[in-house]
């Protein structure tokens, strides 16, 4: 078969994220080190070297390390990632976290760029401090926004763009995206890829990698994690899936603190939204005053509201003690939302730095008081 020479782009300019998305006023101000933006956060991003010298605090590091190490073995990750996972048992090991929802075929290149940024930042910090620094990727497999992750685009040998989509009729409506099935849908997706990349260099290697990881994966979230491990675990990237039962257990202290102080974090987020607006930026998060920052899983993610001294989940009314007991008995029954998820992540890993995309930066600007209220250190 004659291979067609691919059309390769020429680098015309290097653009900052603020130039790519000029509507992001907070991002622009943050990159320019405007105090109006910087002081919304708990840490200065230029202080990471000093922060990396502190010991991590939060969840038991030996449990974290053992859990994550087993998961790297399960994924068939490279020895570099397995060793980094083992190093997490020492609280003196620093961490750089990054995360994204599991995307089809690895998702957009943006996801890989974020992961590579975490790897590079960890290496630079390790060189500067002379101590181990581990990059950790938090796979947002417990999200339910299917429309955000069920498609991806790529170009063929002639530079023509094609969209590839996960079948609309596959999986149960309302399920977590990590739980979506891949056996059946995955083979059909790989067949689409094969047609598009025919004639491109390394096409056979790409198809083999997709097929091998698909065959070993239990669901959509794991297929994504196995692809990420195949590509980046040789660089030391450690991959974490919050659906792991041990991590659900580790998250319990944060969920219990949220339940014990009804609507406290919601009020803090909304108050910070007013402050963000007063500083000339657009708040990323506004919450209904009566809604808690966790979901209860009951044939789908159910919103949790609070009124009349009770939590309301669908038709059920639960006292704080009842909901706390339910979550304690069934850790997988509670799922943190966009407000609580970063706090859980940092409770587990106690990272020095978090690699944030533009939208993440905007909602983390509102989370500083939430971290403080829940007793978790916020990274740079």
């Amino acid at each position: 078969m004659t291979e067609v020479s691919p059309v390769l782009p020429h680098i015309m300019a290097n653009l900052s994220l603020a130039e790519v998305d000029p509507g992001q006023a907070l991002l622009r101000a943050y990159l320019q080190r405007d105090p109006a933006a910087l002081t919304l956060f708990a840490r200065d991003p230029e202080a990471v070297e000093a922060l990396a010298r502190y010991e991590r605090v939060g969840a038991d590091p030996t449990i974290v390390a053992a859990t994550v190490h087993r998961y790297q073995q399960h994924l068939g990750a490279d020895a570099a990632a397995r060793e980094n996972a083992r190093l997490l048992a020492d609280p003196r090991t620093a961490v750089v976290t990054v995360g994204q929802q599991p995307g089809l075929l690895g998702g957009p290149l943006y996801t890989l760029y974020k992961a590579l940024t975490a790897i590079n930042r960890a290496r630079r910090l390790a060189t500067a401090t002379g101590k181990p620094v581990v990059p950790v990727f938090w796979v947002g497999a417990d999200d339910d926004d299917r429309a955000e992750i069920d498609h991806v685009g790529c170009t063929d040998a002639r530079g023509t763009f094609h969209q590839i989509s996960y079948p609309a009729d596959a999986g149960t409506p309302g399920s977590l995206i990590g739980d979506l099935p891949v056996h059946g849908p995955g083979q059909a997706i790989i067949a689409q890829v094969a047609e598009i990349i025919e004639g491109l260099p390394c096409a056979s290697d790409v198809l083999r990698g997709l097929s091998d990881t698909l065959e070993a994966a239990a669901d959509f979230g794991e297929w994504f994690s196995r692809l990420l491990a195949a590509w980046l675990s040789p660089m030391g990237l450690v991959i974490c899936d919050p659906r792991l039962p041990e991590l659900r257990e580790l998250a319990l202290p944060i969920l219990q603190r949220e339940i014990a102080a009804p609507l406290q974090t919601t009020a803090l987020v909304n108050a910070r939204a007013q402050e963000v607006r007063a500083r000339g930026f657009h708040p990323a998060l506004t919450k209904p005053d009566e809604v808690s920052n966790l979901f209860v899983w009951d044939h789908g993610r159910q919103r949790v509201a609070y009124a009349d001294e009770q939590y309301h989940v669908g038709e059920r009314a639960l006292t704080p003690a009842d909901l706390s007991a339910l979550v304690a008995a069934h850790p997988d029954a509670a799922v943190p939302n966009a407000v609580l998820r970063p706090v859980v992540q940092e409770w587990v890993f106690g990272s020095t730095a978090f690699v944030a995309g533009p939208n993440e930066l905007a909602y983390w600007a509102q989370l500083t008081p939430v971290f403080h209220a829940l007793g978790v250190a916020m990274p740079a």
Side-chain angles (χ1 to χ4, degrees):
M1 182 182 298
T2 303
E3 289 194 345
V4 179
S5 298
V7 177
L8 300 177
H10 295 282
I11 297 174
M12 304 300 292
N14 290 318
L15 302 175
S16 75
L17 280 173
E19 292 174 287
V20 173
D21 191 353
Q24 294 271 10
L26 176 62
L27 172 65
R28 184 171 61 254
Y30 188 78
L31 294 176
Q32 294 171 349
R33 296 189 55 76
D34 183 339
L38 284 180
T39 54
L40 289 169
F41 299 87
R43 309 287 188 183
D44 188 322
E46 294 192 358
V48 289
E49 184 176 327
L51 292 171
R53 300 182 187 277
Y54 294 108
E55 290 191 3
R56 303 186 340 265
V57 295
D60 186 331
T62 59
I63 298 176
V64 172
T67 300
V68 176
H69 185 269
R70 282 194 298 271
Y71 193 56
Q72 306 320 292
Q73 291 178 312
H74 175 73
L75 295 176
D78 186 83
R82 299 198 306 271
E83 173 61 14
N84 270 350
R86 189 187 65 78
L87 291 172
L88 292 172
D90 187 341
R92 294 170 295 182
T93 298
V95 174
V96 175
T97 44
V98 65
Q100 191 72 16
Q101 297 94 329
L104 182 62
L105 302 175
L109 285 174
Y110 169 74
T111 301
L112 291 179
Y113 295 156
K114 290 175 73 176
L116 289 167
T117 300
I119 293 167
N120 288 338
R121 172 58 74 179
R123 289 179 175 179
R124 289 163 60 188
L125 274 177
T127 299
T129 62
K131 62 181 289 185
V133 183
V134 174
V136 173
F137 194 103
W138 182 283
V139 178
D142 55 358
D143 196 353
D144 69 346
D145 191 348
R146 176 169 169 163
E148 192 172 31
I149 56 82
D150 66 357
H151 58 282
V152 71
C154 67
T155 55
D156 61 21
R158 293 176 174 79
T160 303
F161 180 84
H162 300 265
Q163 178 165 300
I164 302 168
S165 298
Y166 181 86
D169 58 353
T172 304
S175 64
L176 299 180
I177 56 177
D179 294 341
L180 292 172
V182 286
H183 295 289
Q187 284 81 1
I189 289 163
I190 292 175
Q192 293 180 59
V193 176
E195 291 184 15
I196 295 168
I197 67 174
E198 184 179 6
L200 283 170
C202 304
S204 59
D205 293 331
V206 169
L207 295 174
R208 187 180 307 111
L210 293 177
S211 296
D212 289 348
T213 51
L214 172 65
E215 183 179 351
D219 51 36
F220 190 93
E222 189 178 317
W223 191 20
F224 172 87
S225 293
R226 286 184 177 275
L227 285 170
L228 207 59
W231 299 329
L232 298 181
S233 69
M235 302 181 193
L237 185 69
V238 171
I239 297 163
C240 162
D241 188 326
R243 296 176 299 162
L244 293 172
E246 298 90 342
L247 292 182
R248 295 286 199 206
E249 292 273 357
L250 289 173
L252 279 177
I254 304 306
L255 302 181
Q256 299 287 21
R257 292 172 197 177
E258 169 73 9
I259 293 168
L263 304 180
Q264 178 191 37
T265 57
T266 297
L268 291 171
V269 165
N270 287 340
R272 179 53 71 99
Q274 295 179 14
E275 182 179 351
V276 168
R277 190 175 289 109
R279 295 190 186 202
F281 308 120
H282 180 71
L285 294 169
T286 53
K287 300 284 297 179
D289 292 338
E290 75 283 1
V291 174
S292 179
N293 286 306
L294 55 80
F295 298 102
V296 166
W297 182 258
D298 185 10
H299 304 291
R301 296 201 311 182
Q302 302 293 322
R303 191 180 81 157
V304 178
Y306 185 81
D308 302 323
E309 300 185 346
Q310 289 185 311
Y311 284 105
H312 299 269
V313 183
E315 300 298 320
R316 289 187 292 169
L318 302 166
T319 66
D322 290 338
L323 182 56
S324 180
L326 171 66
V327 172
H330 305 283
D332 59 348
V335 181
N337 73 352
V339 170
L340 216 56
R341 194 246 346 129
V343 183
V344 169
Q345 171 187 291
E346 298 309 328
W347 167 255
V348 172
F349 287 107
S351 61
T352 293
F354 173 71
V355 176
N359 292 329
E360 288 170 312
L361 183 79
Y363 72 73
W364 276 62
Q366 293 179 237
L367 299 185
T368 305
V370 175
F371 273 90
H372 179 74
L374 295 176
V376 178
M378 188 179 189

